[in-house]
Amino acid sequence: MDVNVTAWGPKSQGVTPLHLAAQGGHLNVMDELLNRGANIDARTKGACGWTPLHSAAKERNKEAIKFLVENGAFLPDDICDVRFNPPLHYCSGLEWAYEVKQLLEGSSSSTGETSYSSDN
């Protein structure tokens, strides 16, 4: 089974199963897909190039955002980074991703390790 297979249609060009699971907040499915080799930073086709993190953020799904960031989803230091679309005003849930990233960085700098079991 190819966990990185992409869907094609007028509104789903390049969407992977991980995009769909992130959009719906299906953490168990996301975990299984990643365990089977899903690309956490897979991009949709076209101008936007959305990742599963974008899909979760657009739906303002905090748990999916936290899960993706904790599992290494790409998140540049600056949200205005040209490698990361769309702008914050269109995908405001990305603010939560930065909050999670800061918490993870804070916990790893204070203990020397990152704890993924935290409820923060």
Side-chain angles (χ1 to χ4, degrees):
M1 171 173 83
D2 182 2
V3 294
N4 291 304
V5 66
T6 56
W8 285 98
K11 294 187 178 188
S12 62
Q13 294 185 356
V15 172
T16 67
L18 189 57
H19 283 89
L20 297 173
Q23 181 178 355
H26 303 289
L27 302 183
N28 291 336
V29 174
M30 293 166 58
D31 189 45
E32 184 65 27
L33 288 168
L34 290 175
N35 285 335
R36 292 177 181 240
N39 180 357
I40 198 165
D41 292 318
R43 297 227 175 220
T44 59
K45 308 297 181 218
C48 289
W50 280 34
T51 66
L53 183 58
H54 288 106
S55 297
K58 183 172 185 283
E59 297 301 319
R60 302 182 62 81
N61 190 316
K62 286 185 179 182
E63 291 301 314
I65 291 168
K66 180 179 181 218
F67 178 87
L68 290 165
V69 171
E70 287 178 342
N71 282 281
F74 172 73
L75 195 60
D77 292 332
D78 180 359
I79 197 163
C80 296
D81 190 305
V82 295
R83 297 171 294 166
F84 202 66
N85 283 325
L88 186 59
H89 73 273
Y90 187 75
C91 203
S92 59
L94 287 173
E95 291 173 337
W96 294 328
Y98 279 92
E99 290 173 13
V100 170
K101 182 179 180 182
Q102 288 175 341
L103 289 171
L104 290 173
E105 287 173 350
S107 68
S108 66
S109 65
S110 65
T111 65
E113 296 180 11
T114 301
S115 171
Y116 295 114
S117 62
S118 172
D119 287 333
N120 290 335

